[in-house]
Amino acid sequence: MMRRVAIANQKGGVGKTTTAVNLATALAASGASTLLIDLDPQGNASTGVGIARDQRSPSSYELLTGTATLADASRPALVPGLSVVPAHEQLSGAEVELVEVPRRTERLKAVLADAVLPDWVLIDCPPSLGLLTLNALMAVDSVLIPLQAEYYALEGLTQLLQTIEQVRSRGNPRLALLGVLMTMVDRRNSLSGQVEADVRAALGSQVLRTVIPRNVRLSEAPSHGLPALLYDLRCPGSEAYLALAREIIGAPAARAA
């Protein structure tokens, strides 16, 4: 079954791009054909899979502006079975350029509707709830929300869940919550454990079983242009993302948000 997943959180620094890159790698490694779309103007997911800045055109910007097809913009990554649509810095201007365009929140949805898609499509969203993120939410069937194990973890989550509900009621009724993913969990830190416990108490089964530990190898990997699973397969972070892939492959297609 084909799945389309937006990885979103308007709060920055929560491990969103790390999750997009390494989950996409893990899914491809499991044998599933996978496409990663970088929809963040910072282009960190593109860096994380080794695509140099001078090799990012055509990109997700051209997809949204209608000057390239998905086949034009996607290219194979280092991992067999994984393709990537990179992000170019031009994407930062797309929100302004598309303001007057009809059905501006459905640009990506239309592109994907006209394309032959792989088993999984993952979209790395920017840290905002603007037009780029709305395009992603309109184009997918589920949302994965990385949530950092810190004191302010739940701040902003309510707003994101409300946005998901609004998108569901205004044009994408199939949109569901795949799950909340606890990231940067430090078992040596009692506060980290307490935050995780509080989040699970508040959200129950909406929180995925897998947790992503705070792990220096996850932080080092992007500087080498590699997903952590290629940089150090045996590190705790890589093992966690492999576990996450196994969990979501077996997850139901929908959860109540």
Side-chain angles (χ1 to χ4, degrees), residues 7-245:
I7 301 173
N9 191 328
Q10 74 271 31
K11 192 175 188 302
V14 299
K16 178 177 56 59
T17 296
T18 298
T19 295
V21 167
N22 288 291
L23 178 57
T25 302
L27 289 169
S30 76
S33 58
T34 305
L35 172 66
L36 172 62
I37 300 177
D38 190 350
L39 213 60
D40 186 344
Q42 298 177 85
N44 291 335
S46 306
T47 300
V49 294
I51 300 179
R53 291 196 175 273
D54 61 358
Q55 299 174 347
R56 298 185 186 179
S57 184
S59 66
S60 53
Y61 170 79
E62 283 83 3
L63 285 188
L64 292 179
T65 56
T67 57
T69 66
L70 187 64
D72 294 331
S74 62
R75 63 216 61 186
L78 294 172
V79 182
L82 175 61
S83 296
V84 180
V85 174
H88 190 277
E89 58 189 16
Q90 287 177 304
L91 187 59
S92 60
E95 297 203 41
V96 176
E97 294 177 39
L98 295 175
V99 165
E100 303 299 329
V101 174
R103 305 177 75 90
R104 61 185 178 274
T105 62
E106 299 180 32
R107 303 288 290 183
L108 185 59
K109 177 181 179 180
V111 169
L112 298 186
D114 290 338
V116 176
L117 298 177
D119 299 327
W120 289 85
V121 177
L122 302 186
I123 304 175
D124 184 29
C125 299
S128 75
L129 293 178
L131 186 57
L132 295 176
T133 297
L134 288 176
N135 260 273
L137 295 180
M138 287 293 291
V140 300
D141 50 57
S142 59
V143 186
L144 176 63
I145 305 175
L147 199 66
Q148 185 179 358
E150 61 160 22
Y151 184 72
Y152 294 112
L154 290 172
E155 190 174 89
L157 182 60
T158 298
Q159 183 183 3
L160 177 54
L161 294 177
Q162 288 173 344
T163 299
I164 293 171
E165 183 57 40
Q166 290 169 359
V167 170
R168 182 185 294 131
S169 63
R170 295 179 182 178
N172 186 3
R174 72 183 186 280
L175 184 63
L177 178 63
L178 178 60
V180 173
L181 173 68
M182 297 303 303
T183 63
M184 304 182 195
V185 175
D186 187 349
R187 298 300 190 191
R188 301 167 299 178
N189 184 327
S190 59
L191 176 60
S192 182
Q194 185 59 54
V195 168
E196 182 186 352
D198 290 347
V199 171
R200 291 189 183 278
L203 300 176
S205 63
Q206 292 178 326
V207 184
L208 295 168
R209 296 188 306 274
T210 304
V211 301
I212 308 301
R214 187 174 290 279
N215 179 225
V216 67
R217 305 297 270 179
L218 288 178
S219 302
E220 291 174 350
S223 66
H224 297 271
L226 293 171
L229 276 75
L230 296 186
Y231 180 63
D232 185 351
L233 180 61
R234 302 293 183 182
C235 75
S238 294
E239 292 178 349
Y241 279 112
L242 289 169
L244 175 63

